[in-house]
Amino acid sequence: MNFRLMTVAGLALALAGCTTVGPARNAVEARWKGQPAGVFFAAFGPPQSDVSSGDMTVYSWKGGYKKRKIPAQYAEGENGKKGKKTASARTEFLSCSVQLNVSSDYVIRSITVLGDIKKSSGPSWCEEFLAGDQAK
């Protein structure tokens, strides 16, 4: 009985030590997980900082700076004309901040979005910038 218990416990520990690749949490991770970190940094610029932790290195990256002008919004008026102004024009300042966990063979094992601008519909700014058509 003890031998069986020890065998099962040993097998459980061995399986727990295996590295698995889970499902991507967002479009950025789906695009970059498993890719070489050099390709990411060549496309988007160098990291701001890095910290080694065992056989992994954690890189902090920030970029994708852009100004986006949002036009004023108006209510629907009579006969298709502009109605009363419902929102003033404004400028959004966009940027993206991510943390990349990179293995010793320089492959991205996970990427976490730390700072992002969410839109009411469609992809966020990080998803648009890092996982959109220009990221391929």
Side-chain angles (χ1 to χ4, degrees), residues 15-108:
L15 289 175
C18 294
T19 302
T20 60
V21 177
R25 293 175 290 211
N26 56 47
V28 175
E29 191 170 51
R31 166 66 180 96
W32 289 103
K33 191 173 187 178
Q35 299 296 317
V39 174
F40 179 91
F41 295 132
F44 301 111
Q48 288 184 322
S49 65
D50 60 276
V51 177
S52 293
S53 175
D55 65 341
M56 297 288 277
T57 304
V58 178
Y59 293 96
S60 296
W61 178 89
K62 188 170 185 177
Y65 301 104
K66 181 179 177 181
K67 274 197 300 191
R68 178 170 32 200
K69 295 186 184 279
I70 309 294
Q73 296 177 350
Y74 297 90
E76 183 76 26
E78 293 180 17
N79 298 327
K81 295 182 180 180
K82 281 187 189 176
K84 185 176 178 180
K85 185 189 289 187
T86 58
S88 297
R90 64 185 194 280
T91 301
E92 281 184 329
F93 296 94
L94 306 171
S95 68
C96 182
S97 178
V98 297
Q99 187 175 55
L100 298 100
N101 291 321
V102 178
S103 62
S104 59
D105 59 350
Y106 214 53
V107 173
I108 299 171

